[in-house]
Amino acid sequence: MININDLSYVYEDGRMAIEHIKLHFSCGEKVALVGPNGAGKTTLLLHLNGILCGQGSVRVGEEELDDRRVKLIRARVGLVFQSPDDQLFSATVFDDVAYGLIYQGVDKETIHERVARALEAVGMPGSQNRSPYRLSLGEKKRVALATVLCMQPEVLALDEPTAGLDPRGRRGIINLLAGLDQTLLIATHDLEMVREIFPRVVIMDAGRVVYDGPTSTALADTELLRAHGLLG
Ligand SMILES: Nc1ncnc2c1ncn2[C@@H]1O[C@H](COP(=O)(O)OP(=O)(O)OP(=O)(O)O)[C@@H](O)[C@H]1O
Ligand SMILES: [Mg+2]
């Protein structure tokens, strides 16, 4: 489904954020990206739908991600940013969640249905008329997830979906993610969630992949975890 080949990215200030990343994700796979702050997880996710474009290649299905195909690929890969303020910009929750559907020309009735369903799925039913700016951080994160869920993309890339959520909200999101059929890639520090629903984990450190394999093996290896800042 996704092929990343020899991908490197240097920010404008010269910082090398990811280096020679090579990863393959199959259709329907659920993979967690973990690693210390600054490891490059967010930078990598931002490449999956063309927000950043580094050296090397990213392929989604048969399509190479380049300038011409960005629009097409954004319909296939839904990305939820680490900070919901980067995702929400409309006057109402409805407008934010409906935005992509309106852009796609989906009919009104279907839009209302899909927005309502997505908000319900993230535990924010009936919040259509609220202002995104006036939501709490956890509420904003849920609405940000709804904006992408309602597009029904083949791949969901989520940056720290459970960070800042209360225990019940976190549980709701974990159950929701566990039930999704889509290919799911998430960046997270929530190792308990990783243990529970992600059979494969990729550990990144200093811009490189240092482990890619079964979650059970990684989480049993305290030396590995300690070496990469995953144990307190
Ligand atoms: N806009 C930017 N300009 C310059 N450097 C950046 C920028 N964004 C990120 N970086 C740097 O790139 C590296 C990777 O950052 P990134 O945000 O991808 O890490 P991360 O693994 O997502 O960390 P976290 O767990 O804190 O979210 C870090 O060293 C960071 O300081
Ligand atoms: Mg990050």
Side-chain angles (χ1 to χ4, degrees):
M1 184 77 219
I2 295 190
N3 257 303
I4 299 170
N5 203 7
D6 203 18
L7 185 68
S8 301
Y9 187 78
V10 183
Y11 281 103
E12 288 107 74
D13 64 358
R15 175 163 282 272
M16 177 75 100
I18 52 173
E19 263 181 281
H20 305 299
I21 303 282
K22 194 172 161 55
L23 286 168
H24 171 86
F25 305 114
S26 305
C27 205
E29 213 177 358
K30 286 186 166 60
V31 185
L33 287 176
V34 304
N37 295 133
K41 305 179 297 293
T42 294
T43 305
L44 179 60
L45 288 186
L46 292 174
H47 279 81
L48 296 182
N49 72 351
I51 291 170
L52 294 180
C53 203
Q55 278 195 340
S57 75
V58 176
R59 261 183 30 215
V60 178
E62 290 309 308
E63 276 150 336
E64 182 91 26
L65 216 173
D66 59 25
D67 288 347
R68 282 175 305 136
R69 297 197 187 85
V70 162
K71 218 163 140 185
L72 208 73
I73 281 173
R74 285 200 182 153
R76 301 181 67 180
V77 182
L79 180 74
V80 179
F81 293 105
Q82 187 161 358
S83 163
D85 290 328
D86 291 334
Q87 202 119 27
L88 307 174
F89 47 80
S90 304
T92 67
V93 166
F94 176 85
D95 289 346
D96 263 331
V97 181
Y99 183 85
L101 297 172
I102 294 168
Y103 182 74
Q104 279 188 348
V106 175
D107 69 88
K108 251 189 179 164
E109 201 179 322
T110 309
I111 291 178
H112 281 271
E113 260 173 44
R114 276 166 69 172
V115 168
R117 228 181 308 136
L119 288 172
E120 228 162 82
V122 298
M124 291 289 290
S127 59
Q128 282 89 333
N129 294 327
R130 296 193 63 188
S131 160
Y133 305 104
R134 301 223 170 100
L135 299 175
S136 76
L137 174 69
E139 290 170 338
K140 281 183 188 175
K141 282 192 78 97
R142 296 170 198 215
V143 171
L145 177 55
T147 66
V148 169
L149 275 183
C150 78
M151 301 293 289
Q152 301 170 342
E154 293 161 73
V155 180
L156 277 165
L158 314 179
D159 205 346
E160 306 206 6
T162 57
L165 296 191
D166 61 50
R168 188 174 49 193
R170 172 179 172 274
R171 176 48 47 197
I173 295 297
I174 292 174
N175 292 347
L176 171 69
L177 299 182
L180 294 173
D181 298 327
Q182 284 113 319
T183 307
L184 184 60
L185 305 174
I186 68 150
T188 187
H189 296 292
D190 187 342
L191 292 187
E192 279 310 309
M193 169 179 63
V194 176
R195 187 194 301 279
E196 194 178 324
I197 61 171
F198 291 88
R200 174 179 165 198
V201 68
V202 171
I203 303 178
M204 293 181 70
D205 198 354
R208 290 180 179 263
V209 172
V210 295
Y211 175 91
D212 179 2
T215 300
S216 51
T217 309
L219 294 187
D221 188 340
T222 45
E223 246 171 69
L224 174 77
L225 298 179
R226 191 163 293 120
H228 300 292
L230 295 167
L231 278 186

